[in-house]
Amino acid sequence: MLEAADTSHISRRVAPPTWLVVSLACAGQFLVVLDVSVVNVALPSMRTDLALSASGLQWVVNAYAIAFAGFMLLGGRAGDLYGRKRMFLVGLGLFTLASLGGGLAQDGWQLLLARAVQGLGAAVLAPSTLTLLTAAVPEGPARARAIATWTAVGAGGGAAGGLVGGVLVDALSWRWVLLINVPVGALVLAGSVLWLTESRAGDRRRLDLPGALLVTAGLGTLAYGISQTEAEGWTAAATLLPLAAGLALLGLFLAVEARTAAPLMPLGLLARRPVASANAAMLVSGSAMFCMWYFMTLYAQNVLGYSPLEAGLALVPSSVAVLVGSKTAPRLMRRAGARTVAVSGTLVAAAGFAWQSTMGPHGAYPTAIMFPGILMLLGAGLAATPLAALATSGAAPAEAGLLSGLVNTSRTMGGSLGLAVMSTVAAARTGGGDGAAALTAGYAAVFRAGTGVLLAGAVLMLLWLPRRKASAK
């Protein structure tokens, strides 16, 4: 697990109560994860109001996710070098201002720009939430419980997005799924200024901005190329050129990281089995789980005819399940080990995906949404905590923010690329039809593909994750 932050760099102010630090850190994490999913139930309303195309609708989600994933490593390193509290405040301030801009957008490009800036703010904010928490809680059972709370709150943010978005769209308008962040962000910002203390680790070295730009440009170009397959096919130049360019940019990123004196992503970290295996597992499983919210809300509204509020309420049992899974995981880790819990959780999620793939155009709520959703999110909650614990285990103080950023990067990068691929899968199966039967066939194909991805992820975890017991004692 992460070691406590270097006390030589901690502010001399009296440390606030641990519960307060954990609460503020979790509030920040809740906001950034909430905004990954809260827009899903608002997508049909956004499309109508701003005349967005189908691909534009996908980029309302991906503009946030790609900026979030691409700049997360930079945000984590900035927190280590310049102060976790400072970066927490900068990220939260930028996130809140971008939410205001998105809520007031009058054209599609304005909304997409605001979502990208939101993602940048989230990338600065998110790594600091975990490092502030681990600096405040000593290593051992207490920290394992704190990480489980952080994981549960993050997962709960994704799960609650549908309900929160549904209430806001039905009661007010789609704009409030973004505007609601303004008062909440201001409240958390004020509490953080008053009660958080500063800490950092390492010297004030130059940040690797070229690395951050290369990895973000690579991910964005790759996701764009994948999204082009929906309209152009896999062999068209409009698809192959951005795919090749994206891979080349990511290759150039690795080359830069191998040569620079202060790399954004020290490649030596990936030589550590727990770090490499847990992040690879999060990337693979995230590519399936991230899509679940997107396609479940589209199925509920576009096929079953649910209102935004009804679609949000339909996912409440899943929201409870992910919290139960996240909070149960530490106890299971003590008995069975992190690897066993992560593999078991992933298999439970795969069972839920397989069930969901049997959906029909006239599905009944219990069997078409509720029970499959509970399995999917229960499994996700069980798997997330041991993977996060393994990915950050044994880190030195100077690496805390970087590894925290890498955890979020892997999960979100997998999700953004997975959404681009799964949208193509859905479109290919739908064949251009927009009737209930055609849409259902496309969504079912996504969940069948997700089942295969999760089963592959479970095999990966079984073979690669360390065999030792979890450090949650």
Side-chain angles (χ1 to χ4, degrees):
M1 298 298 297
L2 296 175
E3 298 176 15
D6 185 350
T7 55
S8 64
H9 297 293
I10 298 178
S11 168
R12 293 185 179 180
R13 290 178 56 189
V14 175
T18 299
W19 67 265
L20 185 56
V21 176
V22 173
S23 297
L24 289 170
C26 287
Q29 178 72 355
F30 181 84
L31 277 177
V32 299
V33 178
L34 178 75
D35 260 62
V36 174
S37 63
V38 72
V39 299
N40 286 339
V41 295
L43 290 175
S45 301
M46 289 177 176
R47 183 174 187 176
T48 300
D49 198 16
L50 300 180
L52 290 167
S53 64
S55 61
L57 208 61
Q58 176 188 326
W59 279 95
V60 172
V61 178
N62 259 353
Y64 180 89
I66 290 172
F68 188 17
F71 284 103
M72 195 103 62
L73 294 176
L74 185 70
R77 177 56 80 194
D80 285 340
L81 300 182
Y82 304 123
R84 284 74 179 261
K85 175 183 176 179
R86 181 177 299 169
M87 290 301 103
F88 185 93
L89 297 177
V90 168
L92 183 56
L94 186 60
F95 178 88
T96 303
L97 289 174
S99 298
L100 177 63
L104 299 177
Q106 298 300 310
D107 205 345
W109 70 266
Q110 296 173 353
L111 176 61
L112 296 183
L113 177 61
R115 288 287 286 168
V117 177
Q118 260 193 317
L120 175 59
V124 176
L125 168 63
S128 295
T129 65
L130 185 53
T131 48
L132 284 168
L133 182 150
T134 54
V137 184
E139 187 164 3
R143 186 182 290 181
R145 290 192 297 271
I147 289 180
T149 300
W150 178 86
T151 302
V153 167
L163 176 59
V164 172
V167 170
L168 293 172
V169 172
D170 263 17
L172 298 167
S173 78
W174 68 262
R175 298 182 181 278
W176 280 94
V177 302
L178 299 172
L179 293 176
I180 192 65
N181 292 327
V182 178
V184 176
L187 184 62
V188 177
L189 200 63
S192 302
V193 169
L194 290 174
W195 293 312
L196 289 182
T197 55
E198 187 58 279
S199 71
R200 73 173 195 275
D203 55 18
R204 292 175 178 264
R205 294 176 294 169
R206 176 179 59 86
L207 281 175
D208 180 19
L209 187 58
L213 294 176
L214 283 171
V215 71
T216 304
L219 288 173
T221 307
L222 197 61
Y224 174 75
I226 294 171
S227 70
Q228 285 293 93
T229 63
E230 182 176 336
E232 306 290 342
W234 284 96
T235 58
T239 299
L240 294 177
L241 287 177
L243 287 177
L247 291 173
L249 287 167
L250 293 176
L252 186 57
F253 164 72
L254 294 176
V256 167
E257 298 307 283
R259 293 175 178 272
T260 187
L264 179 67
M265 177 68 253
L267 299 183
L269 288 178
L270 297 180
R272 302 178 190 174
R273 183 176 176 182
V275 174
S277 59
N279 277 283
M282 281 188 283
L283 187 146
V284 172
S285 59
S287 67
M289 293 305 308
F290 185 87
C291 303
M292 176 261 185
W293 302 112
Y294 184 81
F295 288 103
M296 286 286 277
T297 51
L298 290 180
Y299 171 63
Q301 292 185 73
N302 293 343
V303 175
L304 300 183
Y306 289 16
S307 69
L309 177 57
E310 288 170 338
L313 288 171
L315 294 174
V316 168
S318 305
S319 306
V320 175
V322 75
L323 295 174
V324 170
S326 299
K327 296 299 287 182
T328 304
R331 292 195 295 273
L332 297 178
M333 288 162 62
R334 288 195 294 271
R335 297 176 182 175
R339 186 183 70 155
T340 300
V341 177
V343 171
S344 300
T346 304
L347 291 175
V348 170
F353 268 72
W355 189 346
Q356 190 64 57
S357 71
T358 65
M359 66 175 72
H362 306 291
Y365 169 67
T367 55
I369 292 181
M370 186 175 76
F371 290 124
I374 287 174
L375 283 178
M376 285 187 275
L377 272 298
L378 177 65
L382 286 171
T385 297
L387 290 177
L390 284 170
T392 54
S393 60
E399 299 169 341
L402 175 60
L403 286 178
S404 300
L406 186 59
V407 168
N408 283 299
T409 298
S410 299
R411 185 164 43 203
T412 312
M413 180 174 68
S416 59
L417 295 178
L419 178 59
V421 171
M422 294 301 186
S423 295
T424 301
V425 169
R429 186 68 179 84
T430 300
D434 58 2
L439 291 174
T440 301
Y443 301 153
V446 166
F447 285 97
R448 282 195 297 274
T451 303
V453 169
L454 289 173
L455 290 175
V459 173
L460 174 72
M461 295 176 204
L462 187 63
L463 296 177
W464 196 7
L465 290 179
R467 294 174 181 271
R468 62 181 175 82
K469 293 284 185 177
S471 56
K473 300 171 184 175

